[in-house]
Amino acid sequence: MECTVRQEKESEYRAVENLVRDAFWNVYRPGAMEHYVLHCFRGDSAFIKELGLVLENDGKLIGYTMYVKSEICLDDGGVLPVITLGPICIANEYKRQGYGKILLDASLEKAVALGFGGVVMEGNIDFYGKSGFVVSKERGIRYADDPEAEYLLCQELKPGYFDGIKGTFADPEGYFVCQNDAEGFASFEEGFPKKEKKKMPGQLFSE
Ligand SMILES: CC(C)(COP(=O)(O)OP(=O)(O)OC[C@H]1O[C@@H](n2cnc3c(N)ncnc32)[C@H](O)[C@@H]1OP(=O)(O)O)[C@@H](O)C(=O)NCCC(=O)NCCS
């Protein structure tokens, strides 16, 4: 596989949004929101530009991931800076061929090189576990909305970064932009090719 992971270029923003939209379409809900989340985050100070990454295969964009700055509110009153991954996706025709793991691992390496201490985000341990993630509550990090959540995952980027901590993680506000700005989302969505929204088994949300 001739793969390159590199920072996205401004000239690719729309192509990346199309890729993200197609890859998430009807997966977690009828339709998709992740392309608008990414679009809005690009203008947010929490967005880590160096980690807005595309996966190119033989010159074709086939994957994308991004990270934002976030934090753990520690029970002792302090705050531990972390980063949150997502969305991450692979183009439909390339899914389940190992590309997601290539992109994820390369992005984690870049995050380490940039000096970040740890990652916390929602996800499926079946995918992320293969790249070193563990269930957050096992490291003392509870999810604000659901303290027992098995789907809040974390990984240290600096060894020992989570040692001895207890605290709560809440998703950065930017992840809720579609709910908070439904009109903005609707008009953004009109600029994309029409696609049929379908209710599918396994979706987490009804709309
Ligand atoms: C999730 C996603 C990024 C994974 O990328 P991928 O290239 O398909 O995954 P890989 O081939 O690298 O998978 C590596 C391993 O992770 C696990 N895995 C990957 N996707 C999985 C899924 N949806 N459910 C359960 N396990 C999964 C499997 O064990 C897989 O190995 P296998 O195929 O030999 O069983 C991709 O499928 C995708 O874009 N999905 C839609 C968007 C999404 O759900 N993004 C993640 C949430 S933000």
Side-chain angles (χ1 to χ4, degrees):
M1 288 185 273
E2 275 303 313
C3 287
T4 315
V5 175
R6 59 162 177 81
Q7 198 177 323
E8 64 177 336
K9 300 173 194 157
E10 239 178 280
S11 58
E12 294 167 331
Y13 280 2
R14 194 61 167 186
V16 166
E17 287 159 8
N18 263 303
L19 166 71
V20 172
R21 180 175 181 257
D22 285 350
F24 276 93
W25 195 259
N26 293 333
V27 173
Y28 293 105
R29 68 186 79 242
M33 291 182 166
E34 288 75 5
H35 54 305
Y36 191 54
V37 170
L38 137 74
H39 175 81
C40 295
F41 260 133
R42 288 199 187 107
D44 187 317
S45 58
F47 185 72
I48 305 165
K49 272 204 156 93
E50 298 87 338
L51 296 179
L53 299 170
V54 292
L55 174 65
E56 234 180 12
N57 182 44
D58 289 335
K60 189 171 177 222
L61 291 187
I62 66 157
Y64 181 76
T65 193
M66 55 162 273
Y67 291 74
V68 300
K69 291 179 191 156
S70 55
E71 57 189 34
I72 299 168
C73 292
L74 300 173
D75 293 356
D76 67 9
V79 165
L80 188 70
V82 288
I83 57 175
T84 294
L85 182 166
I88 180 170
C89 64
I90 295 296
N92 290 326
E93 59 274 35
Y94 292 90
K95 282 177 181 165
R96 299 305 281 263
Q97 297 166 50
Y99 292 106
K101 183 163 172 24
I102 290 172
L103 175 58
L104 176 59
D105 290 349
S107 71
L108 291 166
E109 260 178 45
K110 288 181 195 289
V112 169
L114 289 167
F116 292 107
V119 191
V120 183
M121 85 286 171
E122 263 188 44
N124 181 341
I125 194 71
D126 293 340
F127 173 57
Y128 293 102
K130 294 194 164 143
S131 292
F133 284 86
V134 296
V135 173
S136 291
K137 66 177 181 179
E138 291 167 8
R139 296 305 314 266
I141 306 160
R142 303 177 303 273
Y143 202 11
D145 299 334
D146 183 2
E148 289 305 311
E150 296 282 336
Y151 54 86
L152 188 72
L153 309 179
C154 71
Q155 175 164 184
E156 286 179 340
L157 299 175
K158 284 184 187 159
Y161 196 69
F162 294 145
D163 281 358
I165 68 158
K166 286 218 177 314
T168 305
F169 172 86
D171 291 304
E173 198 52 28
Y175 283 106
F176 304 103
V177 67
C178 297
Q179 293 88 330
N180 295 340
D181 176 21
E183 260 180 44
F185 175 43
S187 72
F188 176 74
E189 182 59 19
E190 274 172 22
F192 287 84
K194 287 267 168 290
K195 279 170 86 78
E196 192 189 349
K197 291 185 182 181
K198 284 188 191 157
K199 287 190 195 290
M200 308 278 278
Q203 285 174 344
L204 301 176
F205 307 101
S206 56
E207 57 183 44

